[in-house]
Amino acid sequence: MSKAHRGTGIRKEPNHGRGKCAICGTEQIKILYEQDVDGKKVKICKFCKAALKNKAQKDARAAKKAAPAAEQPAAAAGEAQA
């Protein structure tokens, strides 16, 4: 099967979707992903999008671990008083 339509979405973009990433500053890289950074919608590269996603997942896991740990001493203190 032919792959004639691959990349047609970025062909319509100015400069074929290439430019300067708002986060890392790399020039002439494909900037295809819109992201909110400091309250502004900016276009970023694939690598910065992955880094932001990984950081968010890491923070979520840390918060999830911290929440049960914070509840546990409070529950233990309640049992000690009873």
Side-chain angles (χ1 to χ4, degrees):
M1 300 209 10
S2 98
K3 295 179 172 73
H5 302 291
R6 184 177 287 181
T8 55
I10 64 171
R11 288 185 202 148
K12 297 171 186 170
E13 295 283 324
N15 205 13
H16 295 279
R18 292 186 177 267
K20 184 176 182 181
C21 178
I23 295 179
C24 65
T26 305
E27 294 184 5
Q28 289 303 311
I29 194 166
K30 291 179 188 172
I31 49 169
L32 305 173
Y33 307 97
E34 285 192 5
Q35 190 75 27
D36 285 328
V37 177
D38 298 330
K40 297 180 181 177
K41 275 215 176 240
V42 294
K43 286 199 166 199
I44 61 174
C45 65
K46 178 180 182 177
F47 306 108
C48 292
K49 179 169 174 64
L52 289 173
K53 183 179 177 183
N54 290 336
K55 184 177 183 268
Q57 286 179 343
K58 187 177 179 181
D59 292 343
R61 273 189 250 123
K64 190 174 181 181
K65 282 185 180 180
E71 292 174 8
Q72 206 168 30
E79 291 174 3
Q81 291 177 356

